[in-house]
Amino acid sequence: MLFWLTILGGFAFVYLALRIGFYMIWQSLFNTLVAVYLSVMLTPRLIGLVPELAESGYYFAPCVLVLALLFFLLLQTITACFLTGISEVALPSAVEMFGTPLLGFVLGYVIVGFVLFLVYLLPISHTDFAQRHVFKTTSQAGLETRPPLPVRTTIQTCRFIGFVSLQYHEGTVERTVHWLIQSARPSPPEPERQPPPDPRWRAGPEVAPRR
């Protein structure tokens, strides 16, 4: 189900891309990729600066979302102010015909995958029902269990931006995403404390208590 949601999101953005043109959809895709990367990688730092945010698993997803929106709006403002002339450059018809819908599809796929990743960070997504029927993990014979599709999509997005920005370190993105998921999961209930045994009783129900 999650796969088809991301595919539908991609095709929905194809329509948007054809309406706004190649440059605008390329700008939006680039800014979205960078915003997703920065929000995921900086959320642990934010929570470290504000320890109160770690008190509930429901604070992690809003932190990632707020950072992503802030970075996206900042980047959109910068590109709108300093790169407006590029949108007036005429591009070959083949680029507009094939490149524009392709970028639109990728943008929709990334956005829907990121939104589903935020939902996966909520503790309610780690209940038995959600894990069995919504966020299913996949596994193959002899291979490790693969995380749900939204997690893989977000990891690939962050790895791509880390690679092209020369900030990529093997395993850093995976460890960060894993930390976010583990921290957002609900804590297991503490075992009920039993009252201390009566020292007058010996082991075994058949032995009478001391007098």
Side-chain angles (χ1 to χ4, degrees), residues 56 86 115 118:
S56 173
I86 298 180
V115 172
L118 295 177

Side-chain angles (χ1 to χ4, degrees), residues 50-133:
V50 188
E52 292 77 7
L53 296 175
E55 294 180 355
S56 173
Y58 286 97
Y59 292 157
F60 288 80
C63 287
V64 178
L65 176 61
V66 169
L67 287 177
L69 291 177
L70 289 177
F71 284 121
F72 179 78
L73 292 176
L74 176 63
L75 292 172
Q76 284 287 92
T77 302
I78 293 175
T79 53
C81 292
F82 298 101
L83 300 178
T84 53
I86 298 180
S87 60
E88 301 176 358
V89 177
L91 297 174
S93 57
V95 174
E96 288 286 352
M97 182 178 300
F98 298 104
T100 301
L102 177 62
L103 294 182
F105 179 83
V106 175
L107 176 60
Y109 190 91
V110 170
I111 289 178
V112 175
F114 181 63
V115 172
L116 293 175
F117 171 72
L118 295 177
V119 176
Y120 187 70
L121 287 182
L122 298 174
I124 194 174
S125 299
H126 297 277
T127 60
D128 292 338
F129 176 83
Q131 291 293 307
R132 288 198 305 265
H133 301 285

